[in-house]
DNA sequence: TCAAAAGTGTTCAATGTACACCCATGC
DNA sequence: GCATGGGTGTACATTGAACACTTTTGA
């Protein structure tokens, strides 16, 4: 199927594949060079939106989120977290006009009870990734797929601005209580690297000398006897996560104060 | 409509009123005399379950949760919190047999595509209430409605045991970051009363002298110049919440350590 | 030898934790 | 006067926060 056929098929037959009234929206955060970004999509005739999708009739919820994420980023094994379900009735009213923008299906063929006109609740997930790992890939709906600075998002579809804001809040709360970094950093990483990750996500400066104390004392990261060559400067030591303690902290929660 | 007719109508016509594939389950926690309980319902031919319900086609999600809660407890203005959405496909498969148990509708009238046989995702909310304020009230499905000790729940419907466990985890996490007590305690309450509330929810002893320090230093509670007569013992002072600071802490979050 | 980045430890302040004796009340 | 429950403060330990100079590296 070519792209146009795919869209057409989705509009005509999606209701046979997907659950009604429900969608998933993923807020995909990417960090890079001290910038926190969100991956947004845009279709030709429409506005920017989060990476979203529907849940297949027999698909586990988490698998659907992973699938949607993979369709957008090509990555799995990201840090992925359900954080809130959005259910205002007004959040999602589409018009036949909106659907027509998706493809050149004759407007007449969109009946009043078309499945895409239904009220939709959306289950919000957020993900975090190192953004150079991701090749933004527009899917069959979308023309563009780009990273936007979290502090400068454009006008967004529906309530996606609210979803993005809540996701950021949830991520920043979470980072004080769960370790983060596995799958976001290389297997062996330096203190400046992980320090940067935390500063970027929290959007604030963290003292360079105090920062690693808690992670080390909890045992989540371990210093290795190796250094990384970084060119014209002093070689930083490499560290790695202690997966056992990391997972324990993930499960039981920790209290960090930065 | 009498009860039997209501059930019948719900089974036959519910799909016109409610959203497909979606439900809400409320884990209603009640505390009383240092015991933390959960309100459970049981229908005649079935098993114990959480207080659940469906979302009306144009009803905001939160309103639906409030409505379901009110149907069960007669109370509104409870501490009510969305915490997770459950979406395993296997979580909710009913059989025509299950539906028949709800009423004496002829089994033959339950077609294979009956709306109650659909896969259902459930949005989990929890609530907390002082349990003497609640008159457990069986609804039109249920025969019994009782408080069960959180540590001794019976076998539960579907994945309701998981939902209850996750709710308790969420409540216990939340209580370290948001104030709780408003609408759960009388307008004026004593330190022993609020101390008891926290001990009951957390399921552990908290030092009587250290406990109020943080709440006082953050200004969430204020000491009044009045005492409560409690009979044969020394009269404890009354306190009340500073609603402005309470709400601020609710919104911005706090860090408590007990 | 210089510029850029990374390594490292101490002091002080705030917070958390442990702990026990006296007081009020009603019977 | 006694049993019960409530009121209260201090000392110590832990944690967090602030802060600057030295070392390494390659150009």
């Amino acid at each position: 199927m070519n792209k146009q056929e795919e869209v057409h098929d989705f509009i005509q037959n999606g209701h046979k594949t997907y659950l009604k009234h429900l969608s998933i929206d993923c807020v995909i955060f990417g960090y890079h060079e001290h910038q926190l970004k969100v991956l947004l999509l845009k279709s030709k005739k429409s506005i920017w939106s989060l990476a979203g999708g529907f849940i297949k009739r027999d698909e586990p919820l988490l698998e659907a989120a992973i699938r949607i994420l993979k369709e957008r980023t090509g990555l799995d094994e990201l840090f992925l977290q359900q954080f809130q379900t959005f259910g205002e009735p007004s959040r999602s009213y589409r018009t036949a006009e909106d659907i027509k923008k998706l493809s050149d299906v004759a407007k007449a063929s969109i009946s009043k009870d078309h499945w895409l006109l239904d009220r939709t609740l959306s289950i919000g997930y957020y993900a975090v990734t190192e953004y150079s790992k991701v090749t933004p890939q527009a899917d069959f709906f979308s023309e563009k797929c780009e990273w936007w600075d979290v502090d400068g998002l454009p006008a967004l579809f529906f309530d996606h601005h609210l979803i993005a804001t809540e996701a950021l809040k949830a991520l920043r709360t979470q980072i004080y209580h769960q370790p983060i970094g596995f799958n976001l950093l290389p297997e062996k990483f330096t203190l400046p690297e992980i320090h940067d990750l935390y500063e970027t996500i929290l959007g604030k400066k963290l003292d360079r000398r105090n920062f690693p104390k808690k992670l080390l004392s909890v045992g989540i990261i371990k210093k290795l006897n190796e250094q990384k060559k970084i060119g014209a400067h002093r070689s930083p030591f490499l560290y790695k996560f202690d997966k056992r303690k990391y997972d324990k902290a993930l499960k039981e929660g920790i209290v960090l104060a930065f």
Side-chain angles (χ1 to χ4, degrees), chain A:
Chain A
M1 270 200 277
N2 68 28
K3 194 158 160 169
Q4 198 47 242
E5 283 168 352
E6 269 189 82
V7 176
H8 186 91
D9 183 58
F10 172 81
I11 293 172
Q12 295 304 319
N13 301 313
H15 64 287
K16 297 177 197 159
T17 309
Y18 299 109
L19 295 178
K20 257 174 110 88
H21 301 308
L22 272 171
S23 66
I24 289 178
D25 284 302
C26 294
V27 184
I28 304 171
F29 293 106
Y31 65 93
H32 187 64
E33 290 179 358
H34 236 269
Q35 290 268 326
L36 191 60
K37 308 239 178 200
V38 179
L39 193 65
L40 297 178
L41 298 158
K42 184 177 175 304
S43 71
K44 211 179 313 187
K45 298 175 190 168
S46 187
I47 193 174
W48 290 95
S49 67
L50 295 171
F54 295 91
I55 304 160
K56 294 182 184 171
R57 291 181 165 264
D58 289 306
E59 185 180 38
L61 180 55
L62 180 60
E63 261 178 44
I66 292 171
R67 173 177 54 79
I68 289 165
L69 199 61
K70 188 159 190 178
E71 284 168 11
R72 287 303 176 287
T73 63
L75 285 177
D76 36 26
E77 305 217 1
L78 298 188
F79 183 84
L80 181 64
Q81 193 73 31
Q82 186 193 311
F83 69 98
Q84 197 183 138
T85 294
F86 296 84
E88 281 304 306
S90 61
R91 66 172 295 280
S92 61
Y93 288 130
R94 283 188 184 83
T95 62
E97 222 16 81
D98 294 328
I99 299 174
K100 189 152 190 289
K101 284 185 194 160
L102 294 175
S103 98
D104 296 324
V105 176
K107 191 177 167 188
S109 71
I110 306 297
S111 71
K112 249 179 23 191
D113 60 352
H114 187 276
W115 73 288
L116 283 171
L117 298 178
D118 280 335
R119 172 181 174 193
T120 306
L121 280 75
S122 190
I123 302 167
Y125 280 82
Y126 65 81
V128 190
T129 179
E130 211 291 328
Y131 106 179
S132 64
K133 284 189 197 162
V134 174
T135 316
Q137 190 91 34
D139 64 353
F140 60 94
F141 289 124
S142 310
E143 193 197 20
K144 294 195 220 164
C145 182
E146 285 173 14
W147 290 106
W148 286 74
D149 205 284
V150 280
D151 296 320
L153 297 180
L156 293 177
F157 200 53
F158 285 173
D159 58 350
H160 286 193
H161 201 285
L162 172 67
I163 296 177
T165 306
E166 291 296 316
L168 185 56
K169 217 191 278 179
L171 169 59
R172 286 182 174 166
T173 301
Q174 176 126 3
I175 204 175
Y176 285 106
H177 300 286
Q178 318 243 262
I180 195 175
F182 198 79
N183 282 327
L184 299 180
L185 295 169
E187 197 197 328
K188 297 172 181 183
F189 52 87
T190 66
L191 284 188
E193 283 166 352
I194 191 171
H195 179 235
D196 246 46
L197 171 63
Y198 275 80
E199 279 193 341
T200 306
I201 290 176
L202 289 173
K204 66 181 190 189
K205 289 264 168 251
L206 303 173
D207 185 280
R208 195 161 63 90
R209 274 179 291 186
N210 292 331
F211 168 77
K213 284 179 191 165
K214 196 58 172 284
L215 295 176
L216 282 166
S217 77
V218 181
I220 290 170
I221 60 173
K222 292 190 299 202
K223 189 175 185 175
L224 302 175
N225 231 338
E226 305 169 53
Q227 283 165 294
K228 184 175 179 179
K229 284 262 173 288
I230 54 159
H233 307 293
R234 179 166 181 175
S235 308
F237 280 94
L238 287 166
Y239 288 74
K240 66 174 193 178
F241 290 109
D242 179 329
K243 200 60 183 13
R244 171 173 276 142
K245 293 198 177 143
Y246 186 98
D247 287 340
K248 189 170 169 237
L250 255 190
K251 222 176 97 199
E252 297 172 10
I254 47 180
V255 180
L256 300 174
F258 294 118

